Amino acid sequence: MDDEMVRERDARAYEAVHDAADFTELKRRYKNFVVPWTIAFMAWYLAYVACNNWARGFMSHKVVGHVNVALIFGLLQFVSTFVIAALYGRFANRKLDPLAHGLNAKYKRERRR
């Protein structure tokens, strides 16, 4: 097969997948998870930065020994990152991967035509 035929076959397969209802659903599910969690994390991060800049009295308040609020907030940034990553992994395994596997199978079928 020449390159032009391969490109044409691949383009047809891609268009078939792109036009599938499952592809639209996959994008919708992905967006509905990622956008709110991204906004929540960015708001949390910006609150942390803002507090460090403008609420130094609050952030320097000692909680236990030499551990202050700023240190706890900083560590919670790491915790929230890992929690969101774990939630996304679980969400993707349950809601995204089944659709993606089906679309991948459809793409491979279309390429063989």
Side-chain angles (χ1 to χ4, degrees):
M1 254 194 247
D2 69 339
D3 287 344
E4 184 61 35
M5 287 176 65
V6 170
R7 276 194 290 272
E8 196 173 298
R9 182 190 67 200
D10 290 349
R12 275 195 318 269
Y14 174 79
E15 286 174 17
V17 170
H18 184 267
D19 294 339
D22 281 352
F23 185 70
T24 303
E25 179 64 17
L26 179 68
K27 290 190 310 183
R28 185 191 67 77
R29 288 180 187 182
Y30 175 79
K31 182 182 70 173
N32 286 344
F33 182 90
V34 170
V35 170
W37 280 106
T38 300
I39 291 169
F41 180 80
M42 291 305 296
W44 160 237
Y45 176 73
L46 291 174
Y48 171 64
V49 171
C51 284
N52 274 318
N53 282 323
W54 295 294
R56 291 183 183 216
F58 169 69
M59 295 300 272
S60 64
H61 178 75
K62 301 262 191 235
V63 178
V64 176
H66 293 292
V67 177
N68 61 16
V69 174
L71 180 61
I72 292 172
F73 274 31
L75 292 173
L76 286 174
Q77 290 292 316
F78 288 103
V79 170
S80 63
T81 299
F82 290 117
V83 167
I84 292 170
L87 289 172
Y88 177 76
R90 200 172 107 209
F91 173 79
N93 286 335
R94 288 185 299 118
K95 301 289 186 176
L96 301 180
D97 288 352
L99 287 175
H101 291 306
L103 290 167
N104 188 37
K106 180 180 178 95
Y107 178 77
K108 288 177 180 177
R109 277 193 312 273
E110 292 294 327
R111 282 197 71 216
R112 281 182 281 201
R113 288 180 152 190

